[in-house]
Amino acid sequence: MSTFAYRNGILHAEDLPLDRLMDQVGTPAFVYSQTALESAYRRFAGALKEAGLNAQVCYAVKANPHLAVIRCFAELGAGADVVSEGELRRALAAGIPGEKIVFAGVGKSDAEMALGLASGILQFNVESREELRRLDSVARNQGKTAPVALRVNPDVDAKTHAKITTGKSENKFGIDFQDVPELLQLADALPGVRIEGLAVHIGSQITQLGPFEAAFQRIADLFTQLRDAGHDLKRLDAGGGLGIAYQGEGLPSVEDYAAVVRRTLGPLGVPLIFEPGRHLVGDAGILLSRVLFVKQGRSRRFVILDAAMNDLLRPALYDAWHEILPLREARPDTEQQACDVVGPVCESSDVFASGRVLPELGPGDGLAICAAGAYGATMSSTYNSRLPAPEVMVSGGSYSIIRTRPGHADLMAMEQLPEWS
Ligand code: LLP
């Protein structure tokens, strides 16, 4: 049974009726299910283990960096994939030990490299010759040798949205295949770095196994070739990217994904790292919102919510489709109407759904915008001087506010007028 489901006509998060929660915490608000987080992690890690793989799951913190979310995975044995000082500090604060942390990202500052070294992280995923040289010098300044995996760009089309594809040669990510031997040679001459593995990540919200299979096979061949040439490669980082079914579409299961990994990367016989983000958190969260007005335009009917693109940017940025469920289940005979579900922000792109068929709604009615656990709160802003939505964790019939809604005074307190005014 889904974690967000109707019971007695009311949408629940686990055992908690969301209409009651809405009255208590206000809207908009992000609501996460701890059970859904735990079961997504267990199923992902379990499928890899079942496939006989030696795998470390390093949760991609960018998908949802809330400390409680990271902590939940830390307790289940997860490591972390971080891309900034902030994410590294969060992973450590949530209890993930340095030796399970991978520092990825195409542009790391000296300070970030230094903090990674001081934290004893597992590896830096290096994406360029320039970064390798810089890391060497930062590490030597600390009298250390930085463990490195070279992130290889396999030039494989992930067949996902253009804005979230990373593994094509025209993308800014990774090192070209043909440059890898030269970088390994360069690393031999740099005492501050030690290449311990390769890494690959081709994109996000990948809904077919073909692109994974192609990328993994290419990287496995390269790995073997380099090892045969005498390079001591110890690990392979297979990245993240496995999608979720935003629209109820049939997707490959984690078990199918694990079978592809086993077939392509298994024969290397080395420990593997995985960096799933969305797959672990996406379906575990919703954005709770209330209808402000229903406005009948000349040709369209607009349902205006109190949530907006500043809370959940994905529809505006990627034309992403998110299921929208009324908190009160519609009776089967209820008339349904096509409407545009929009937010109050002064932008024409502040649209959650266009021409969506929904039961009749009126002011005050609650709605859940589904699959908002990944790349939701973390991509939010205060545009239009709107307050950040609070975040709530549900477990069974209980809930806890894990991030409060700040007040306007809190946000203004971070600003000063110039001293000459
Ligand atoms: N590893 C690396 C190196 C990445 O760049 C990413 C995501 C991940 C792992 C995690 O990918 P996941 O398993 O979550 O697909 N904001 C976009 C998604 C951007 C993904 C960026 N990189 C969205 O809302 O769809």
Side-chain angles (χ1 to χ4, degrees), residues 60 62 81 151 164 201 204-205 240-241 275-278 314 318 375 379:
K62 62 176 82 65
D81 152 35
R151 173 164 174 190
I164 50 175
H201 171 83
S204 193
Q205 183 52 15
E275 303 171 351
R278 185 188 323 260
R314 303 193 70 256
Y318 313 119
Y375 307 108
M379 289 175 72

Side-chain angles (χ1 to χ4, degrees), residues 358-406:
L358 289 171
E360 172 113 40
L361 290 160
D365 287 346
L367 291 172
I369 304 178
C370 300
Y375 307 108
T378 185
M379 289 175 72
S380 67
S381 72
T382 57
Y383 186 40
N384 277 206
S385 292
R386 288 167 49 85
L387 296 175
E391 292 171 89
V392 180
M393 185 72 82
V394 172
S395 177
S398 314
Y399 76 88
S400 174
I401 296 174
I402 56 173
R403 185 171 195 261
T404 48
R405 195 190 310 275

Side-chain angles (χ1 to χ4, degrees), residues 280-294:
L280 302 187
V281 293
D283 284 325
I286 57 159
L287 175 59
L288 205 53
S289 177
R290 234 187 268 262
V291 175
L292 293 174
F293 307 109
V294 178

Side-chain angles (χ1 to χ4, degrees), residues 58-63 81 83 104-105 125 127 151 160-161 163-164 166 173 200-206 237-243 246 274-281 313-314 317-318 320 322 374-376 378-379:
C58 290
Y59 167 58
V61 170
K62 62 176 82 65
D81 152 35
V83 293
N125 289 358
E127 304 212 11
R151 173 164 174 190
T160 181
H161 192 285
K163 286 191 178 159
I164 50 175
T166 57
F173 300 100
V200 67
H201 171 83
I202 53 172
S204 193
Q205 183 52 15
I206 300 171
D237 180 340
L242 188 61
Y246 283 98
F274 293 85
E275 303 171 351
R278 185 188 323 260
H279 201 83
L280 302 187
V281 293
L313 186 59
R314 303 193 70 256
L317 191 58
Y318 313 119
H322 284 255
Y375 307 108
T378 185
M379 289 175 72

